[in-house]
Amino acid sequence: VLQKLQKLYPGIEFSLQKITTKGDRITDLPLPSFGGKGIFIKELETALLEREIDLAVHSFKDLPTDMEPELEITAVLEREDPRDVLVSRKGLKLAELPAGSRLGTGSPRRKAQLSSFRPDLRILDMRGNVDTRLSKIEEGLYDGAIMAAAGLLRLGRQNIITEYLSPEICTSPAGQGAIAVETRAEEGQLKNMIKTLDHLPTRIALEAERAFLTRLGGGCLTPIGALAKIEGSRLTLMGMIASPDGKVIFREKIEGSPEEAKKLGIYLAESMLKQGASAIIV
C-alpha cells in the first residue's frame, strides 16, 4: 500500500506506524480460546478514531462483518492467490502423508476440512508468524503446516510451498488473499486518493463472500469458508460450512451475474441453511 501510494502521489510524504494487536501478542493459545471479532484489527481502528493514524491496512479476512459506523473500507487491493497451501517437512503432498502425521494450523476452518479429508492425520494447534511456524516444522515438532498462499507469496517464500490445496478440499475463508485499506468515513480528499487503489473485481467477489458470511451469522467457532471468482461475465461462489470435528460438512456452489454478488451470497447461505447447515452453526 505504501509503495503504491508513493508512486501515485510522489509529492506527499507517507510513513508507516506499526501497531501490535491482541491477536499478534497472544501466540501461545488457540485463537478460539481467547479470540472474537476484531482481535486483529481493534487497536488499528482505535488509532484511526483517535486520529493517531490516517489509514489502516488489514488482511480482509480479519474484518468482522459489522464495521464501526465512523469508519469504512475505502479500497481493496487486487487479490493474491486465495488458496490454502501445505508446507510439508519431507515434501509429501496431503494425500501422501502417512497416517498419524502431525499437521499444524490455528484455524478451526482448516482443522475441520482436513479432518474430513484425512481423518487419520493429527491436526494440532499452531500459532505464530511464518518464520516461527517453519522453525517448528524444521525442528520436527510438526510434519507440516497449512498456511495461506498469499502470505508466503507476498514474502517471496513460494519455494517452500509443497502443494496448493483445491478449494474442494479446503475452502478459503471469506476475504483471504485480499488487503483492505480503512479510513475515517468523514475524510474527503484522503478517501479520494485511497480509492485509486481499489480493484473492482476483487471488491465484487468479496461482496458475495461477505454477504454469505453475514447471512449465516456464524461466530468465530464455526468453520465457514467462502470463495468467489469472476470469470468473464459470470461470478461463481463456493460456500462451505462444517462441524468443528469435520464429521459433518456442507459444500455448495452457485453462479450468476457479478452485478448480483450480494444476492448470490445471501441465496447460497439460505440454500445451505435449508439443507441442514443451521444445526451446526455456533
Side-chain angles (χ1 to χ4, degrees):
V1 172
L2 179 68
Q3 290 171 352
K4 289 178 180 292
L5 288 174
Q6 287 180 330
K7 186 176 181 180
L8 286 168
Y9 307 103
I12 297 176
E13 182 180 347
F14 298 92
S15 63
L16 288 177
Q17 181 170 332
K18 184 178 178 180
I19 297 174
T20 304
T21 66
K22 181 179 179 182
D24 297 312
R25 290 192 301 270
I26 304 175
T27 59
D28 58 344
L29 295 173
L31 281 174
S33 69
F34 71 92
K37 295 181 179 179
I39 61 167
F40 286 105
I41 70 162
K42 189 61 179 176
E43 288 85 349
L44 280 78
E45 291 193 328
T46 298
L48 260 181
L49 293 169
E50 295 180 355
R51 298 183 176 275
E52 295 173 5
I53 59 175
D54 296 304
L55 57 96
V57 180
H58 306 289
S59 175
F60 198 99
K61 68 181 175 63
D62 294 334
L63 298 175
T65 51
D66 50 337
M67 301 292 295
E68 294 282 350
E70 303 96 328
L71 304 174
E72 66 178 56
I73 301 303
T74 306
V76 179
L77 274 62
E78 184 173 1
R79 192 178 210 169
E80 185 53 271
D81 193 320
R83 291 175 292 178
D84 282 334
V85 298
L86 168 65
V87 177
S88 172
R89 185 160 56 93
K90 295 183 178 180
L92 298 174
K93 294 184 178 181
L94 186 60
E96 299 168 341
L97 289 169
S101 295
R102 297 156 298 173
L103 275 188
T105 176
S107 162
R109 174 192 56 82
R110 290 173 180 151
K111 184 175 183 178
Q113 293 183 93
L114 292 168
S115 297
S116 175
F117 183 69
R118 286 291 308 271
D120 57 328
L121 299 179
R122 294 175 62 194
I123 313 300
L124 307 174
D125 287 318
M126 177 187 270
R127 296 288 316 286
N129 61 28
V130 169
D131 287 333
T132 298
R133 297 184 189 209
L134 293 180
S135 66
K136 291 179 180 180
I137 296 172
E138 290 168 1
E139 291 167 11
L141 300 175
Y142 300 83
D143 297 301
I146 306 299
M147 305 185 194
L152 295 176
L153 293 171
R154 290 194 181 106
L155 291 170
R157 305 293 295 275
Q158 58 266 28
N159 60 303
I160 68 169
I161 296 173
T162 305
E163 180 184 10
Y164 288 83
L165 300 183
S166 162
E168 283 76 17
I169 293 174
C170 199
T171 309
S172 311
Q176 181 158 290
I179 289 176
V181 185
E182 187 178 29
T183 66
R184 291 180 288 272
E186 65 189 35
E187 297 288 351
Q189 183 179 358
L190 176 63
K191 276 170 54 176
N192 290 333
M193 290 168 56
I194 303 303
K195 282 179 180 178
T196 59
L197 304 179
D198 197 54
H199 186 252
L200 185 59
T202 298
R203 181 178 281 273
I204 291 172
L206 296 178
E207 186 177 319
E209 295 173 13
R210 295 267 282 185
F212 174 77
L213 199 60
T214 302
R215 177 62 187 86
L216 291 178
C220 59
L221 297 178
T222 304
I224 295 174
L227 180 60
K229 181 185 290 188
I230 296 176
E231 294 179 313
S233 61
R234 305 297 286 174
L235 180 148
T236 59
L237 172 63
M238 173 183 286
M240 186 284 304
I241 311 168
S243 60
D245 59 9
K247 291 181 179 179
V248 180
I249 189 163
F250 294 86
R251 274 195 177 87
E252 191 174 339
K253 187 181 288 188
I254 194 172
E255 181 180 318
S257 167
E259 296 175 356
E260 297 185 323
K262 189 173 182 179
K263 288 182 180 179
L264 290 170
I266 294 171
Y267 182 87
L268 182 61
E270 291 179 345
S271 173
M272 295 178 75
L273 289 171
K274 289 176 182 176
Q275 292 177 47
S278 57
I280 58 175
I281 292 180
V282 179

